[in-house]
């Protein structure tokens, strides 16, 4: 046995070595070439096999991460984050990339370095995706912002009076999304943590969602962002006629929209419905308006006006006259900083300059309806101070309408104005009503000042006085003409006779 | 002190300095922020369902806010007709700002002010108002109690209302009461009278509100007929039946939480008795309790101590946790409560409760109660351990009383009636005792070992292995081993030996306790020992040490024949006898048979391999103190040996010339012919040994010619064994052959000595018979036939022939040529030739010759 074992290797050596020697003697380069070729070929094969293996490992890892659920868990939103899932471009893409690299490293380190081209390709794809996604985000945001600017949409919360950059939206699950615009949590849609899908832009219909104010969390029923908002504060002394005027303005819009099939003037929100829902009764000549209580919180009364395909959200602010008597209470009226048009409501009977010349019979007749505000400048001064504080130099672009009420009561009296033109009314307000100083001050501070004499009563047919339409036309200046057409004079609508 | 007053209405003149809604008058010193908040808080709108002109139909609103810019304010707002300008809807709000907490007037509850006479609705002509002192509170507990009895609402519903209001104060949905203003006031008063005063003063309410969605009160009243559908998400709506009508209305949601029991208890107590309940609870409260949920554990905890009955197990858990955390209570209260706990619930205390109560006892500073609790806990734990239940790890017992109680209980459990605790339970008890550091009575352990463990061991079938827990227990505790050993020692010796040979012996092997000496002895003798005589000595010593304690089963003597037999085997072996003998002390208690056992070893004819041992035994016994106790036969042997030994010595020392003569052999024969057979046998073998030491053929021949026949037999036997074994010595064979062919064999026959009897005599029965035994060639070896030789030449020749025929021939016939050649080389030339001839004769013709002879034949 031992002999046999020794013999076999020798035989093999002989069989291999003999030809090699023969070849070597005859032609040694061939031998060298052969000797070099074998390891080379083996090396190439090994490299190929290794590359294939690495690639397979890499592809397997990619598949596991992207399709088989081996991706890292999405981190839960932090306390200040929106309660929505991140979109793929908002973090998971990079996380998946890191997971792929990490998984490949774990399975084939340090050979993973040879997968640099693969990883680079993946990284490039992710980067490209990110770029595309964020470009989309930017474009959509820009378009949305441009549309808001073009449509002159400025959103104001009627509860806390703060201007909204963008509303917040409450999901059905109760979570509040304050940054719903395209971003890392979605481009066209975002998915709440409860799996509900929500559009990201007003363009895509976010106004249909449950809108809330991001500051005071009150529900915003007027679908902010869909239409331009016109904030119209009314101020004046107690009993000046603000509440009646608000009802009259609303009723004028309502009546103005009646002839037009596609026009409407609807109250939005419980408060507006409650305050303006009885406008017909309030505007009856015999009706006495309930006072607006200074203890009640001021809320914007929103009226959605639609005409000619356009929509306008008119926010009327009717605060109690007592509020304008004190700086502390005026300071709470934050909506004064959001308006560009103001209405100062003046009771002509309150002024002693007006009352004194009246005859005893007139006084007896008018005494029950005379307000107790003797000096409208007090309210004007408080509001002017607040507006200047809030608007600063922009007050020069604001408009002030001085609305002298109780037109129906003054008709036929000695103190009735001579005409309805602006000049006549201004002269009448300065010289008859004693509002000269006030008007001068107003013209000095506000960009435009007009004087109106309104009559917030309905005729026996229930129609509002045309003076309200004139006031509304001035208020609605600069807006699409369709709105003005709602309150156009009938003769003007019919054209010059 | 007193209440600051505020009047707010629409008036021509007021504190605002303008016409319109403003404070008409106020007590000086009220903060402006309070005024602003009161203005908001008291805003009043008449119901839309009632014409604004019907002032008398407008509800009265009694409102209370616990915190308006830091002040508590109660306001009564009434519709006041048109304002000075003629506009309808004017209202008058008369508000009271609560005085500081130190004022006695501060104790009045807001709801009690309903219907009080001091309310006004007339503006003040002046701007200042005086403080209102001691306002009347007509809606007191008596009236509220009467009203409750006739309200027509079930007590359970009232309890739910109470719970809802309590929850609203803690941030839950406010309660919307759909009822007229007066009813709402009574409901609020009822709730206020049932709640603790501090809690009642935290309940904001309004008996009428025109805009319930904008108010921040906890209880809001709206007139009947108000549409509440849109408010159900924000309010808990309560629609009580009309007063005086008994019927079922929509039910309020049930109180979630155990504190509904407190709500029911309060409702049951009623407005008049509720303060007593709160006073009782206040004795135990920490002062931080606010809601009913905070007070519920206080109620339960106090009921455990003061209540007439026993609380439910769930309530007990609440009470226990509460008492454990009641660190604010004075020690006396804690001690009293704890004492009531133990007296009322002691045996039924849940096991988890004792730890809390123990902490409580320490906090109370009552060492006796702490010890009592600790003892109770320890005893319960022991019960559980004994029952095999899972118990938490024991902690060291602090009090002596607890340790003693635990120790005593453990002893009782161990000494319980048969069949007793299982050993694994006992192990658990011991572990518990170790952890608790209470110790275990050793006496109880002994009794347990003697009863339960011994019973388990005795009940095991032959060869069965005891339960591992039994092994662990016995190994762990000496007391158990002591008891076990003591009980087993009373068993019959054989059975005990079988038990000792098993695991029980292993368990007790290393003990030093006297009680187990018998068991240990039996265990040790059950297995071989490298030094049996040493073992005997050790066992004797163990018996000596244990003897003062008189353990059960201990033999009377330190050494007896049973021990000797178990360790050293039956009597007769001189080696063990000698080894034992040398280890005996005079002080040892020896059984009577011991000397006989040793003597038997002496009187027994020793086997050849025991010869040396027999010599040592005889030498040891010669001067031993035990000699007088030996049997007579043994004494005789000793004497015979002492007589023969000098002759043997002289023989061994004799020079060759004397050795080959008759003299020494005759002396030897004379010394030993009447000796004991054992002596004769020893002498025979010793003489043969001496002969085999001589190699000179002539000396050998002469000695063999004169030696007694028995010696010759012994020599032949010895030589034969030497030549047969491995590595036989050719020199021995050569010397024997040379001796056989020697001419030095004695020729003078002469009369034989006395030791060599004549022909015909048989020595079969006498002591001298064996000495003269001669094996004739051809006779069976070992035969007892006695043959006398008449002539020396003849006898010598026979002896010589025997050497060659009976000793050398059987052996050398099997040797190979090389060995025989070695023998030849050692012989002189002439003798070598003779050896060859003899060898040929012994071996017979070779195969060639046999072939030749066969062919020739």
């Amino acid at each position: 046995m031992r002999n046999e074992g020794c013999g076999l290797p020798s035989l093999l050596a002989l069989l291999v070595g003999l030809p090699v020697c023969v070849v070597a003697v005859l032609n040694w380069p061939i031998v060298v070439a052969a000797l070099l070729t074998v390891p080379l070929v083996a090396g190439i094969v090994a490299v190929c096999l290794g590359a294939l293996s690495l690639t397979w490992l890499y592809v397997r890892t990619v598949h596991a991460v992207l399709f088989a659920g081996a991706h890292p868990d999405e981190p839960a939103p932090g306390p200040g984050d929106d309660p929505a899932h991140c979109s793929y471009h908002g973090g998971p893409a990079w996380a998946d990339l890191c997971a792929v690299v990490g998984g490949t490293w774990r399975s084939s380190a340090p050979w993973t370095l040879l997968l640099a081209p693969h990883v680079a390709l993946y990284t490039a794809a992710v980067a490209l995706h990110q770029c595309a996604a964020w470009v989309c985000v930017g474009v959509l945001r820009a378009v949305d912002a441009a549309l808001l600017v073009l449509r002159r949409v400025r959103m104001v919360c009627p509860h806390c009076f703060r201007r909204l950059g963008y509303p917040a939206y409450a999901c059905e699950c109760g979570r509040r999304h304050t940054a719903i615009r395209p971003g890392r949590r979605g481009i066209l849609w975002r998915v709440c943590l409860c799996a509900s899908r929500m559009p990201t832009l007003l363009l895509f219909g976010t106004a249909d969602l449950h809108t809330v104010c991001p500051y005071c969390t009150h529900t915003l029923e007027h679908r902010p962002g869909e239409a331009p908002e016109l904030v119209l504060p009314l101020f004046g002394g107690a009993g000046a006629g603000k509440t009646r005027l608000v009802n009259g303005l609303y009723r004028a819009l309502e009546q103005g929209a009646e002839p037009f099939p596609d026009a409407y003037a609807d109250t939005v929100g419980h408060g507006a419905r409650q305050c303006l829902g009885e406008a017909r009764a309030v505007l009856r000549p015999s009706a006495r308006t309930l006072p607006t209580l200074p203890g009640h919180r001021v809320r914007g009364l929103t009226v959605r006006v639609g005409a000619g395909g356009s929509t306008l959200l008119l926010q009327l602010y009717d605060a109690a006259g007592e509020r304008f008597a004190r700086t502390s209470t005026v300071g709470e009226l934050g909506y004064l900083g959001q308006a560009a048009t103001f209405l100062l409501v003046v009771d002509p009977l309150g002024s002693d300059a007006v009352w004194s010349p009246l005859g005893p019979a007139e006084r007896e007749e008018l005494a029950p309806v005379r307000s107790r505000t003797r000096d409208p400048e007090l309210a004007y001064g408080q509001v002017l101070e607040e507006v200047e504080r809030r608007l600063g130099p922009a007050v020069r672009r604001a408009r002030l309408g001085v609305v002298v009420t109780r037109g129906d009561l003054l008709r036929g009296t000695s103190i009735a104005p001579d005409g309805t033109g602006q000049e006549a009314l201004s002269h009448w307000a300065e010289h008859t009503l004693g509002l000269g100083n006030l008007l001068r001050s107003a013209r000095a501070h506000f960009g435009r000042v007009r004087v109106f004499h309104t009559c917030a009563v309905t005729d026996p047919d229930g129609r509002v006085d045309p003076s309200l339409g004139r006031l509304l036309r001035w208020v609605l200046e600069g807006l699409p003409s369709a709105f003005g057409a709602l309150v156009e004079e009938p003769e003007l609508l019919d054209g010059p006779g | 002190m007193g209440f600051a007053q505020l009047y707010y209405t629409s008036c021509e003149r007021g504190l605002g300095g303008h016409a319109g809604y403003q404070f008409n008058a106020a007590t000086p010193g009220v903060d402006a922020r309070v005024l602003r908040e009161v203005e908001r808080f008291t805003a009043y709108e008449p119901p839309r369902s009632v014409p604004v002109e019907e002032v008398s139909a407008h509800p009265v609103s009694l409102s209370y806010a616990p915190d308006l810019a830091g002040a508590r304010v109660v306001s009564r707002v009434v519709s006041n007709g048109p304002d000075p300008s003629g506009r309808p809807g004017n209202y008058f709000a008369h508000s009271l700002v609560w005085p500081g907490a130190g004022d006695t007037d501060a104790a009045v509850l807001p709801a009690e002010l309903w219907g009080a006479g001091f309310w006004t609705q007339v503006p003040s002509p002046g701007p200042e108002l005086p403080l209102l002192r001691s306002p009347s509170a007509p809606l007191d507990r008596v009236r509220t109690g009467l009203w409750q009895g006739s309200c027509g609402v079930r007590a359970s519903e009232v309890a739910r209302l109470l719970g809802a209001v309590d929850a609203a104060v803690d941030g839950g949905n406010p309660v919307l009461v759909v009822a007229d203003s007066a009813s709402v006031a009574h409901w609020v008063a009822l709730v206020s009278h049932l709640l603790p005063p501090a809690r009642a003063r935290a309940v904001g309410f309004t008996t009428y509100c025109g805009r319930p969605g904008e108010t921040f009160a906890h209880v809001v009243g709206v007139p009947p007929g108000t549409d509440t559908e849109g408010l159900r998400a924000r309010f808990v709506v309560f629609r009580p039946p009309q007063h005086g009508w008994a019927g079922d209305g929509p039910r309020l949601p049930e109180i979630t939480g155990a504190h509904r029991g407190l709500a029911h208890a309060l409702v049951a107590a009623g407005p008049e008795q509720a303060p007593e309940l709160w006073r009782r609870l206040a004795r135990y409260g920490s002062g931080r309790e606010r809601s009913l949920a905070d007070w519920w554990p206080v109620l339960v905890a106090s009921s455990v101590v003061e209540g007439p009955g026993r609380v439910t197990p769930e309530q007990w858990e609440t009470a226990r946790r509460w008492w454990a955390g009641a660190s604010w209570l004075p020690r006396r209260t804690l001690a009293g409560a704890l004492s009531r706990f133990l007296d009322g619930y002691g045996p039924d205390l849940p096991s988890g409760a004792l730890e809390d109560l123990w902490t409580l006892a320490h906090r109370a500073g009552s060492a006796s109660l702490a010890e009592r609790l600790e003892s109770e806990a320890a005893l319960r734990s022991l019960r559980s351990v004994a029952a095999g239940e899972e118990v938490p790890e024991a902690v060291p017992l602090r009090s002596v009383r607890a340790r003693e109680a635990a120790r005593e209980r453990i002893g009782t459990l161990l000494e319980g009636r048969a069949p007793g605790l299982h050993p694994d339970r006992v192990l658990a008890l011991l572990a518990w005792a170790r952890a608790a550091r209470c110790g275990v009575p050793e006496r109880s352990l002994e009794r347990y070992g003697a009863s339960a463990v011994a019973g388990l061991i005795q009940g095991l079938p032959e060869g069965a292995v005891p339960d591992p827990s039994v092994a662990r227990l016995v190994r762990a505790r000496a007391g158990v081993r002591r008891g076990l050993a003591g009980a087993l020692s009373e068993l019959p010796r054989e059975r005990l030996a079988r038990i000792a040979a098993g695991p029980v012996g292993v368990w007790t092997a290393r003990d030093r306790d006297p009680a187990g000496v018998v068991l240990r002895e039996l265990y040790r003798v059950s297995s071989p020992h490298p030094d049996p005589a040493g073992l005997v000595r050790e066992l004797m010593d163990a018996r000596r040490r244990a003897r003062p304690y008189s353990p059960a089963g201990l033999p009377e003597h330190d050494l007896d024949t049973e021990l000797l037999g178990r360790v050293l085997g039956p009597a007769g072996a001189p080696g063990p006898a000698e080894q034992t003998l040398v280890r005996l002390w005079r002080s040892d208690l020896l059984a009577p048979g011991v000397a006989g056992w040793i003597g038997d070893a002496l009187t027994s004819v020793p086997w050849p391999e025991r010869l040396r041992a027999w010599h040592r035994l005889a030498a040891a016994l010669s001067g031993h103190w035990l000699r007088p106790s030996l049997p007579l036969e043994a004494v005789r042997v000793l004497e015979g040996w002492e007589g023969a030994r000098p002759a043997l010595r002289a023989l061994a020392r004799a020079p060759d010339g004397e050795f080959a003569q008759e003299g020494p052999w005759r002396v030897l024969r004379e010394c030993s012919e009447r000796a004991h057979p054992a002596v004769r046998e020893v002498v025979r073998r010793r003489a043969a040994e001496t002969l085999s030491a001589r190699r000179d053929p002539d000396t050998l021949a002469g000695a063999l010619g004169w030696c007694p026949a028995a010696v010759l037999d012994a020599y032949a036997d010895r030589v034969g064994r030497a030549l047969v074994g491995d590595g036989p010595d050719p020199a021995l064979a050569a010397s024997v052959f040379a001796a056989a062919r020697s001419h030095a064999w004695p020729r003078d026959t002469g009369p034989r000595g006395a030791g060599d009897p004549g022909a015909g005599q048989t020595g079969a029965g006498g002591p001298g018979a064996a000495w003269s035994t001669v094996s004739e060639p051809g006779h069976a070896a070992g035969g007892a036939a006695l043959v006398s030789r008449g002539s020396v030449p003849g006898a010598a020749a026979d002896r010589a022939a025997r050497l060659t025929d009976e000793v050398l021939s059987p052996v050398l016939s099997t040797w190979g040529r090389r060995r025989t050649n070695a023998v030849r080389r050692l012989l002189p030339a002439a003798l070598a030739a003779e050896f060859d001839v003899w060898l040929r004769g012994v071996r017979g013709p070779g195969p060639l010759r046999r072939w030749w002879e066969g062919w020739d034949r």
Side-chain angles (χ1 to χ4, degrees), chain B residues 126-493:
Chain B
E128 289 190 9
L129 295 173
L131 288 170
L132 180 66
R133 299 179 196 279
S134 303
S136 60
L139 195 50
D140 56 13
R141 292 179 182 272
V142 174
R143 282 184 61 187
T144 305
L146 292 172
W147 185 87
Q148 180 191 6
S150 61
C151 68
V153 175
R154 291 180 180 168
S156 58
E157 192 71 2
V158 178
R160 281 192 281 270
L161 173 64
L162 187 64
V165 173
D166 182 68
V169 176
D170 282 338
N173 282 354
V175 178
L176 190 75
V177 182
V178 184
D180 60 274
S181 187
S183 296
V184 174
H186 278 81
W187 283 114
V188 174
L190 176 60
V191 169
S192 299
H193 286 144
L194 294 179
L195 289 173
R199 190 67 163 179
R201 285 190 280 271
V203 177
F205 65 87
T206 175
T207 59
Y208 163 73
C209 181
R211 296 187 181 186
E214 297 185 12
T215 185
F216 293 102
H218 302 118
V219 181
V220 179
V222 292
T226 301
D227 181 15
T228 58
E229 279 308 309
L231 300 172
R232 287 191 180 276
R234 293 181 47 204
F235 289 89
V236 176
V237 179
F238 174 53
R239 290 181 180 273
Q242 293 296 323
H243 186 71
W245 176 72
D248 287 337
R251 301 183 67 178
L252 287 166
E254 184 58 78
I255 301 172
T256 55
H259 61 281
R260 62 176 167 274
L262 176 58
H264 285 277
L266 288 168
V267 172
E272 294 183 69
Q273 302 301 322
E276 178 57 35
L277 174 61
W278 290 116
R279 271 194 290 275
R280 176 164 72 88
L281 296 184
R283 287 203 298 270
Y284 296 94
S286 64
R288 292 188 296 271
E289 292 81 6
R290 297 285 178 266
S291 64
L292 293 180
D294 295 339
W295 281 105
W296 166 244
V298 182
L299 175 66
V300 174
S302 64
S303 299
V304 171
V305 177
E306 298 184 5
R310 295 161 70 93
V311 299
T312 64
E314 296 78 19
Q315 292 174 345
W316 169 256
E317 281 300 310
T318 303
R320 175 174 67 85
R321 281 194 294 271
W322 186 88
W323 276 108
S327 57
W328 57 88
L329 292 176
R331 290 186 169 188
R332 195 157 43 101
T333 307
L334 291 176
L338 187 55
S339 183
R340 293 287 295 273
F341 271 136
L342 294 174
D343 292 340
Y345 294 86
D348 300 326
L349 284 174
S351 53
L354 292 180
E355 295 163 10
D356 290 337
L357 296 180
W358 190 63
T359 307
L360 192 63
H362 275 271
R363 197 183 305 147
S366 174
S368 61
L369 288 173
E371 290 180 2
R372 188 176 163 187
L373 277 168
E374 193 180 25
S375 301
E376 181 66 28
L379 297 180
R380 283 161 177 263
S381 189
L382 284 171
R383 255 203 307 276
S384 300
V385 171
E389 296 170 6
E390 195 73 28
V391 293
E393 190 174 339
V395 294
L397 298 174
R398 298 187 187 183
S399 63
V400 173
R401 174 178 173 178
R403 286 198 295 269
E404 287 176 357
R407 184 185 170 88
E408 188 179 333
R409 176 59 61 89
I410 292 174
T412 305
L413 289 171
L414 288 175
E415 295 182 28
R417 291 183 300 175
L421 289 177
H422 194 272
D424 64 345
R425 294 294 92 213
V426 175
L427 285 170
L429 280 177
L430 296 179
W432 187 96
R434 185 168 52 246
R437 299 185 190 171
C438 67
V440 178
E442 283 299 311
R443 189 185 65 245
S444 302
L445 284 173
E446 286 181 23
R447 289 182 183 171
Y448 181 77
S451 59
V453 179
L456 286 172
I457 297 297
Q458 292 178 53
L460 285 175
E462 191 78 25
V465 177
D467 191 274
S469 60
V470 175
R472 285 201 305 274
L473 177 62
V474 174
R475 280 204 181 97
R477 299 305 300 238
V480 173
R481 290 196 297 272
R482 198 158 42 242
L484 172 65
L488 293 179
S489 298
E490 296 178 1
L491 292 175
R493 189 54 64 98

Side-chain angles (χ1 to χ4, degrees), chain A residues 93-220:
Chain A
W94 293 113
D96 286 352
L97 174 61
C98 294
V100 166
V101 173
T104 311
W105 179 267
R106 277 192 296 274
S107 60
S108 58
W111 303 105
T112 305
L113 296 174
L114 300 176
L115 290 171
H118 304 69
V119 174
L121 188 64
Y122 188 173
T123 306
V126 171
L128 189 63
H129 171 262
Q130 294 284 82
C131 289
W134 285 105
V135 164
C136 285
V137 167
V139 166
L140 287 173
R141 282 198 175 200
V143 168
D144 182 67
L147 284 174
L148 288 176
V149 170
L150 285 173
R151 292 160 58 187
R152 298 164 64 181
V153 172
R154 294 176 79 244
M155 294 171 276
V156 176
C157 174
H159 301 279
C160 66
F161 319 129
R162 297 174 76 167
R163 187 178 171 193
L164 311 179
Y166 221 82
Y169 299 93
C171 181
E172 292 174 356
C173 65
R175 295 185 175 90
R176 193 157 53 95
H177 300 261
T178 56
I180 203 172
R181 288 194 297 171
R184 59 190 294 256
R185 296 188 187 275
I187 300 177
L188 300 179
W189 299 94
R190 71 167 39 198
V191 179
C192 181
L193 293 181
C194 70
S196 300
R197 293 184 73 188
M198 310 165 72
T200 55
L201 282 175
L202 290 163
L203 286 176
F204 305 135
T206 56
D208 295 332
L209 303 176
H210 179 189
T211 313
V212 296
C213 174
Y215 302 105
C216 66
T217 69
H218 272 92
T219 299
L220 303 177

Side-chain angles (χ1 to χ4, degrees), chain B residues 627-719:
Chain B
R627 179 169 180 164
S629 306
L630 291 173
L632 285 177
E633 186 177 358
V635 173
R636 185 173 158 229
V637 168
L638 271 180
E639 291 171 350
W641 170 250
E642 287 166 354
R645 194 171 54 191
L648 276 173
R649 196 175 296 127
L651 182 67
R653 291 175 183 165
D656 287 349
E658 185 181 346
F659 188 81
Q661 296 301 318
E662 183 188 7
W665 295 106
R666 185 178 62 249
V667 172
L668 189 66
R669 189 184 303 115
E670 291 169 353
C671 291
S672 59
E673 63 185 357
R674 290 190 180 83
H676 190 275
V679 175
R680 288 207 296 273
E681 179 65 19
V682 173
V683 169
R684 186 174 78 95
R685 293 193 181 281
R686 284 292 300 275
E689 193 176 311
T690 305
L691 277 171
S692 64
R694 306 283 175 142
R695 292 300 175 92
D696 177 63
D698 294 334
T699 304
L700 196 59
L704 287 173
W706 291 112
C707 70
V711 175
L712 176 63
D713 291 341
Y715 176 78
D717 183 54
R718 185 183 178 86
V719 171

Side-chain angles (χ1 to χ4, degrees), chain A residues 238-239 274 278 288-297 322-323 325-326 329 332 368 370 372, chain B residues 8 10-12 19-21 36 39-40 43-45 48 52 83-88 91 211:
Chain A
Q274 197 172 32
E278 304 295 323
R288 294 301 306 269
T289 313
L290 289 173
T292 305
L293 301 179
H296 280 156
R297 198 174 178 86
E322 288 85 351
R323 280 183 173 268
R326 300 189 294 270
T329 49
E332 296 172 359
R370 186 191 184 199
R372 288 162 294 163
Chain B
Y8 184 90
S10 178
C11 54
E12 291 284 349
Y21 282 103
R36 183 74 191 103
E39 182 181 37
R40 289 194 187 126
Y44 178 94
E45 279 182 345
R48 289 175 179 269
V52 69
D83 65 8
S85 67
R87 290 191 297 176
Y91 62 88
R211 296 187 181 186

Side-chain angles (χ1 to χ4, degrees), chain A residues 78-103:
Chain A
D81 294 335
D82 240 33
H85 291 291
C86 283
S87 188
Y88 195 67
H89 67 275
W94 293 113
D96 286 352
L97 174 61
C98 294
V100 166
V101 173

Side-chain angles (χ1 to χ4, degrees), chain B residues 591-606:
Chain B
V594 171
W597 188 87
I598 295 175
D600 287 346
L602 196 65
T603 58
S604 301
V605 175

